[in-house]
Amino acid sequence: MYEVLMYDGGVYRVNELYELVEDVGGFVIQKTQIQVQILVTMAVPEEERPSIEAKTRELGGKIVNVPLAGTEVAVVAPTLGRHHMPHPTCDIAEQLRRLGAITVVMGLARGKGRRTSQISADEKAIIEEYDAAVFVLGNFKDCILEHKIHLFEDIQTPVVAVCGPQIPSLPNCEAIVCGVGRKVERMRREEEIGRLDDVSVAIEKVVKDKRRVLEEDPLFVHPAEVKDRITELEPVQRSLRPAPVVLHLDGLRVKIPYKEWKDQIADVQVYGHRLGDIATISDSRLGGSTLIRIKTQSEVEDHDRRKTS
Amino acid sequence: MTLTDESFAYDNFESIFRQILQDLGITRSVLAFRIVADPQAPYFLISVRLGRARSAIKVADMSQLNTHTGGTAITITDEAWAPALLNKLWQKYGRDRVEQLTRFEILVRGAELEEVSAMELDPGEELKAKVLDAVWRLFPEGFTVRYNIVDDRAMTIIGTEHDMSPQWVNVAQMVHKEMQVKEAD
């Protein structure tokens, strides 16, 4: 299984690290250079971690654990009004970002109220594009148990619910973190930081479980390999959007319009295959983005077999 | 009342309200408050015992006034009153006639010195507006059907999502009466 690590060090002889990553069969996911300092996020086979660590020591850098790198997580609040917890919502998103995830904060169009709160099919479809979702709920136990759980009733993506009162278990979600509730200030106190850690532990577990399921029938190529090829496309290089290519556990999101570029994306060559043959390419609900879901090895083999027969 | 234990919600709403009062700088002007909520009904009620606002002040007591060729020139000596003064001048003379020359100097065109000098600023209204602001910040979003009882001593607001039931209005009136005679916490 691949492990995602982040190298934090200088640019001096960093090429040796890139070469080693390539030699052990890993990929560089992202490089962020600030003058002579560089952060390199990479995916390497689990068993090769010691050799990467040895090289890091040699270069005078350090390895930072980023268990959520290569994932995109949605943090959902009933609305983004000041009544609906913008503070905890932002703090949770920031916490997940520090662990390597790309996060989006989302408010529902009609999430306010108790009996009137709703989620539309469109909003559910948007949330399902992400690897996991965190729903940030409020103070009243009765409100959460009777009404708010319907917000994430039919969502296929794993959900972690965050709320105020102590609730032992909730239906329709993978994990629950209690003790947050509504706040009008940032989460700075020790116990609040502890709650943020609980949220990240819950998401890490969800991501790990999803990775394990994927390992049973591995993807034909790792999304990071596809990213390398996709980044060479001209519209991606011209894109001014932050993180134009975002990794998912089972594919990637490319922030260029689907209608205009679907054919060029499908024609990208990966290990002698057209990307269109080894992945499902579709329009993203987010607008101006394309979703790529990489097929599993068995799906591609099956496809190849049918083609030759 | 509710079948579930909502103590977390009560404690949390109390600390939110205290925090909001602190943010708005009116902690000392609110002597006591009480929050009642029934999530099963559902309604949310807050009753606030208002403290004494600063006593009314004449414009002449917080500024120096001079006759000017264009009208009356005001030099503010106590800046704490400046926002209230500007508001009052805008209400009376309109924005076109009130010119803010510097941070402390205001020129009111075509106004008599005596008239401006005798104007009174009412801090009670200002306090009520701030308390109302705090209440709206606290109130659950979506509870838009509201009923309120306001007098000089207390302010009670109850809100719900759908129709307001007369029984809940009774609860509001009861809590309001209790709050009127309540001593400071």
mmCIF file of all heavy atoms in Angstrom, chain B residues 28-53:
data_model
loop_
_atom_site.group_PDB
_atom_site.id
_atom_site.type_symbol
_atom_site.label_atom_id
_atom_site.label_comp_id
_atom_site.label_asym_id
_atom_site.label_seq_id
_atom_site.Cartn_x
_atom_site.Cartn_y
_atom_site.Cartn_z
ATOM 1 N N ARG B 28 -22.198 45.037 31.086
ATOM 2 C CA ARG B 28 -22.676 45.698 32.310
ATOM 3 C C ARG B 28 -24.090 46.234 32.173
ATOM 4 O O ARG B 28 -24.744 46.529 33.160
ATOM 5 C CB ARG B 28 -21.749 46.869 32.651
ATOM 6 C CG ARG B 28 -20.493 46.407 33.296
ATOM 7 C CD ARG B 28 -19.444 47.442 33.194
ATOM 8 N NE ARG B 28 -18.303 47.084 34.020
ATOM 9 C CZ ARG B 28 -17.876 47.787 35.043
ATOM 10 N NH1 ARG B 28 -18.478 48.909 35.365
ATOM 11 N NH2 ARG B 28 -16.843 47.402 35.735
ATOM 12 N N SER B 29 -24.555 46.390 30.954
ATOM 13 C CA SER B 29 -25.896 46.951 30.768
ATOM 14 C C SER B 29 -26.982 45.884 30.795
ATOM 15 O O SER B 29 -28.162 46.201 30.779
ATOM 16 C CB SER B 29 -25.971 47.694 29.442
ATOM 17 O OG SER B 29 -24.866 48.529 29.308
ATOM 18 N N VAL B 30 -26.581 44.610 30.786
ATOM 19 C CA VAL B 30 -27.566 43.534 30.889
ATOM 20 C C VAL B 30 -27.407 42.921 32.270
ATOM 21 O O VAL B 30 -26.388 42.333 32.595
ATOM 22 C CB VAL B 30 -27.326 42.481 29.773
ATOM 23 C CG1 VAL B 30 -28.184 41.252 30.014
ATOM 24 C CG2 VAL B 30 -27.625 43.078 28.415
ATOM 25 N N LEU B 31 -28.437 43.124 33.124
ATOM 26 C CA LEU B 31 -28.303 42.681 34.510
ATOM 27 C C LEU B 31 -28.509 41.182 34.647
ATOM 28 O O LEU B 31 -27.871 40.542 35.470
ATOM 29 C CB LEU B 31 -29.302 43.432 35.383
ATOM 30 C CG LEU B 31 -29.128 44.946 35.406
ATOM 31 C CD1 LEU B 31 -30.169 45.575 36.309
ATOM 32 C CD2 LEU B 31 -27.732 45.329 35.879
ATOM 33 N N ALA B 32 -29.429 40.645 33.874
ATOM 34 C CA ALA B 32 -29.708 39.207 33.948
ATOM 35 C C ALA B 32 -30.373 38.779 32.652
ATOM 36 O O ALA B 32 -30.895 39.620 31.910
ATOM 37 C CB ALA B 32 -30.634 38.928 35.115
ATOM 38 N N PHE B 33 -30.339 37.497 32.386
ATOM 39 C CA PHE B 33 -31.085 36.997 31.219
ATOM 40 C C PHE B 33 -31.518 35.567 31.468
ATOM 41 O O PHE B 33 -30.966 34.881 32.333
ATOM 42 C CB PHE B 33 -30.266 37.115 29.940
ATOM 43 C CG PHE B 33 -29.031 36.251 29.891
ATOM 44 C CD1 PHE B 33 -29.096 34.950 29.414
ATOM 45 C CD2 PHE B 33 -27.814 36.739 30.323
ATOM 46 C CE1 PHE B 33 -27.965 34.153 29.376
ATOM 47 C CE2 PHE B 33 -26.665 35.953 30.290
ATOM 48 C CZ PHE B 33 -26.749 34.645 29.818
ATOM 49 N N ARG B 34 -32.531 35.143 30.719
ATOM 50 C CA ARG B 34 -32.990 33.765 30.868
ATOM 51 C C ARG B 34 -33.321 33.218 29.477
ATOM 52 O O ARG B 34 -33.955 33.896 28.671
ATOM 53 C CB ARG B 34 -34.229 33.734 31.753
ATOM 54 C CG ARG B 34 -34.592 32.337 32.123
ATOM 55 C CD ARG B 34 -35.622 32.283 33.209
ATOM 56 N NE ARG B 34 -36.163 30.926 33.178
ATOM 57 C CZ ARG B 34 -37.377 30.609 33.556
ATOM 58 N NH1 ARG B 34 -38.171 31.547 34.018
ATOM 59 N NH2 ARG B 34 -37.791 29.380 33.480
ATOM 60 N N ILE B 35 -32.849 32.011 29.222
ATOM 61 C CA ILE B 35 -33.122 31.383 27.918
ATOM 62 C C ILE B 35 -34.001 30.166 28.170
ATOM 63 O O ILE B 35 -33.701 29.343 29.030
ATOM 64 C CB ILE B 35 -31.807 30.964 27.235
ATOM 65 C CG1 ILE B 35 -30.979 32.202 26.878
ATOM 66 C CG2 ILE B 35 -32.070 30.128 25.989
ATOM 67 C CD1 ILE B 35 -29.568 31.911 26.445
ATOM 68 N N VAL B 36 -35.125 30.092 27.459
ATOM 69 C CA VAL B 36 -35.997 28.921 27.561
ATOM 70 C C VAL B 36 -36.175 28.398 26.150
ATOM 71 O O VAL B 36 -36.506 29.154 25.244
ATOM 72 C CB VAL B 36 -37.390 29.303 28.145
ATOM 73 C CG1 VAL B 36 -38.241 28.068 28.317
ATOM 74 C CG2 VAL B 36 -37.227 30.042 29.459
ATOM 75 N N ALA B 37 -35.951 27.113 25.968
ATOM 76 C CA ALA B 37 -36.150 26.566 24.631
ATOM 77 C C ALA B 37 -36.822 25.221 24.749
ATOM 78 O O ALA B 37 -36.516 24.451 25.653
ATOM 79 C CB ALA B 37 -34.809 26.421 23.928
ATOM 80 N N ASP B 38 -37.759 24.982 23.866
ATOM 81 C CA ASP B 38 -38.363 23.659 23.794
ATOM 82 C C ASP B 38 -38.160 23.157 22.378
ATOM 83 O O ASP B 38 -38.885 23.546 21.465
ATOM 84 C CB ASP B 38 -39.855 23.755 24.150
ATOM 85 C CG ASP B 38 -40.475 22.373 24.213
ATOM 86 O OD1 ASP B 38 -39.807 21.416 23.769
ATOM 87 O OD2 ASP B 38 -41.611 22.255 24.712
ATOM 88 N N PRO B 39 -37.173 22.310 22.172
ATOM 89 C CA PRO B 39 -36.885 21.871 20.806
ATOM 90 C C PRO B 39 -37.994 21.023 20.206
ATOM 91 O O PRO B 39 -38.084 20.891 19.002
ATOM 92 C CB PRO B 39 -35.605 21.044 20.942
ATOM 93 C CG PRO B 39 -35.203 21.074 22.337
ATOM 94 C CD PRO B 39 -36.262 21.733 23.144
ATOM 95 N N GLN B 40 -38.854 20.455 21.076
ATOM 96 C CA GLN B 40 -39.922 19.626 20.498
ATOM 97 C C GLN B 40 -41.096 20.451 20.026
ATOM 98 O O GLN B 40 -41.855 19.997 19.166
ATOM 99 C CB GLN B 40 -40.380 18.596 21.513
ATOM 100 C CG GLN B 40 -39.341 17.475 21.643
ATOM 101 C CD GLN B 40 -39.820 16.357 22.498
ATOM 102 O OE1 GLN B 40 -40.532 16.599 23.489
ATOM 103 N NE2 GLN B 40 -39.446 15.150 22.167
ATOM 104 N N ALA B 41 -41.265 21.645 20.570
ATOM 105 C CA ALA B 41 -42.425 22.478 20.189
ATOM 106 C C ALA B 41 -42.364 22.913 18.723
ATOM 107 O O ALA B 41 -43.315 22.618 18.000
ATOM 108 C CB ALA B 41 -42.556 23.650 21.136
ATOM 109 N N PRO B 42 -41.395 23.564 18.119
ATOM 110 C CA PRO B 42 -40.243 24.109 18.801
ATOM 111 C C PRO B 42 -40.366 25.631 18.977
ATOM 112 O O PRO B 42 -40.926 26.298 18.139
ATOM 113 C CB PRO B 42 -39.138 23.823 17.785
ATOM 114 C CG PRO B 42 -39.818 23.941 16.451
ATOM 115 C CD PRO B 42 -41.264 23.648 16.648
ATOM 116 N N TYR B 43 -39.870 26.116 20.102
ATOM 117 C CA TYR B 43 -39.737 27.566 20.248
ATOM 118 C C TYR B 43 -38.458 27.892 20.993
ATOM 119 O O TYR B 43 -37.878 27.020 21.652
ATOM 120 C CB TYR B 43 -40.967 28.189 20.936
ATOM 121 C CG TYR B 43 -41.146 27.847 22.390
ATOM 122 C CD1 TYR B 43 -40.375 28.459 23.358
ATOM 123 C CD2 TYR B 43 -42.111 26.925 22.785
ATOM 124 C CE1 TYR B 43 -40.537 28.156 24.699
ATOM 125 C CE2 TYR B 43 -42.285 26.606 24.127
ATOM 126 C CZ TYR B 43 -41.485 27.216 25.077
ATOM 127 O OH TYR B 43 -41.646 26.913 26.398
ATOM 128 N N PHE B 44 -38.019 29.131 20.857
ATOM 129 C CA PHE B 44 -36.815 29.587 21.545
ATOM 130 C C PHE B 44 -37.150 30.938 22.145
ATOM 131 O O PHE B 44 -37.697 31.797 21.459
ATOM 132 C CB PHE B 44 -35.667 29.721 20.535
ATOM 133 C CG PHE B 44 -34.352 30.088 21.157
ATOM 134 C CD1 PHE B 44 -33.463 29.114 21.574
ATOM 135 C CD2 PHE B 44 -33.994 31.425 21.325
ATOM 136 C CE1 PHE B 44 -32.250 29.455 22.154
ATOM 137 C CE2 PHE B 44 -32.787 31.775 21.917
ATOM 138 C CZ PHE B 44 -31.908 30.778 22.325
ATOM 139 N N LEU B 45 -36.858 31.084 23.417
ATOM 140 C CA LEU B 45 -37.239 32.327 24.100
ATOM 141 C C LEU B 45 -36.039 32.890 24.850
ATOM 142 O O LEU B 45 -35.296 32.137 25.472
ATOM 143 C CB LEU B 45 -38.377 32.005 25.083
ATOM 144 C CG LEU B 45 -38.947 33.125 25.945
ATOM 145 C CD1 LEU B 45 -40.383 32.775 26.305
ATOM 146 C CD2 LEU B 45 -38.176 33.395 27.207
ATOM 147 N N ILE B 46 -35.875 34.176 24.757
ATOM 148 C CA ILE B 46 -34.844 34.816 25.577
ATOM 149 C C ILE B 46 -35.428 36.070 26.216
ATOM 150 O O ILE B 46 -36.143 36.842 25.548
ATOM 151 C CB ILE B 46 -33.544 35.130 24.801
ATOM 152 C CG1 ILE B 46 -32.560 35.880 25.711
ATOM 153 C CG2 ILE B 46 -33.787 35.878 23.508
ATOM 154 C CD1 ILE B 46 -31.151 35.882 25.240
ATOM 155 N N SER B 47 -35.193 36.202 27.499
ATOM 156 C CA SER B 47 -35.668 37.382 28.205
ATOM 157 C C SER B 47 -34.462 38.065 28.847
ATOM 158 O O SER B 47 -33.630 37.398 29.464
ATOM 159 C CB SER B 47 -36.674 36.946 29.276
ATOM 160 O OG SER B 47 -37.232 38.090 29.856
ATOM 161 N N VAL B 48 -34.389 39.374 28.674
ATOM 162 C CA VAL B 48 -33.213 40.112 29.136
ATOM 163 C C VAL B 48 -33.660 41.220 30.078
ATOM 164 O O VAL B 48 -34.584 41.972 29.771
ATOM 165 C CB VAL B 48 -32.468 40.736 27.922
ATOM 166 C CG1 VAL B 48 -31.277 41.537 28.395
ATOM 167 C CG2 VAL B 48 -32.036 39.664 26.946
ATOM 168 N N ARG B 49 -33.021 41.287 31.239
ATOM 169 C CA ARG B 49 -33.287 42.389 32.181
ATOM 170 C C ARG B 49 -32.289 43.490 31.850
ATOM 171 O O ARG B 49 -31.067 43.285 31.961
ATOM 172 C CB ARG B 49 -33.066 41.874 33.609
ATOM 173 C CG ARG B 49 -33.089 42.951 34.653
ATOM 174 C CD ARG B 49 -34.512 43.173 35.102
ATOM 175 N NE ARG B 49 -34.533 43.797 36.408
ATOM 176 C CZ ARG B 49 -34.555 45.116 36.601
ATOM 177 N NH1 ARG B 49 -34.533 45.920 35.562
ATOM 178 N NH2 ARG B 49 -34.605 45.587 37.819
ATOM 179 N N LEU B 50 -32.833 44.631 31.416
ATOM 180 C CA LEU B 50 -31.948 45.710 30.984
ATOM 181 C C LEU B 50 -31.426 46.504 32.170
ATOM 182 O O LEU B 50 -32.150 46.744 33.132
ATOM 183 C CB LEU B 50 -32.702 46.667 30.055
ATOM 184 C CG LEU B 50 -33.236 46.041 28.778
ATOM 185 C CD1 LEU B 50 -34.203 47.002 28.092
ATOM 186 C CD2 LEU B 50 -32.111 45.695 27.840
ATOM 187 N N GLY B 51 -30.182 46.886 32.083
ATOM 188 C CA GLY B 51 -29.615 47.739 33.130
ATOM 189 C C GLY B 51 -29.961 49.185 32.833
ATOM 190 O O GLY B 51 -30.648 49.482 31.857
ATOM 191 N N ARG B 52 -29.471 50.073 33.686
ATOM 192 C CA ARG B 52 -29.717 51.495 33.446
ATOM 193 C C ARG B 52 -28.765 51.981 32.381
ATOM 194 O O ARG B 52 -27.556 51.761 32.470
ATOM 195 C CB ARG B 52 -29.485 52.282 34.728
ATOM 196 C CG ARG B 52 -30.753 52.477 35.546
ATOM 197 C CD ARG B 52 -30.367 53.018 36.899
ATOM 198 N NE ARG B 52 -29.790 54.360 36.737
ATOM 199 C CZ ARG B 52 -30.510 55.468 36.807
ATOM 200 N NH1 ARG B 52 -31.813 55.394 36.993
ATOM 201 N NH2 ARG B 52 -29.937 56.637 36.697
ATOM 202 N N ALA B 53 -29.322 52.607 31.379
ATOM 203 C CA ALA B 53 -28.465 53.167 30.347
ATOM 204 C C ALA B 53 -27.833 54.437 30.908
ATOM 205 O O ALA B 53 -28.271 54.951 31.939
ATOM 206 C CB ALA B 53 -29.302 53.492 29.128
#
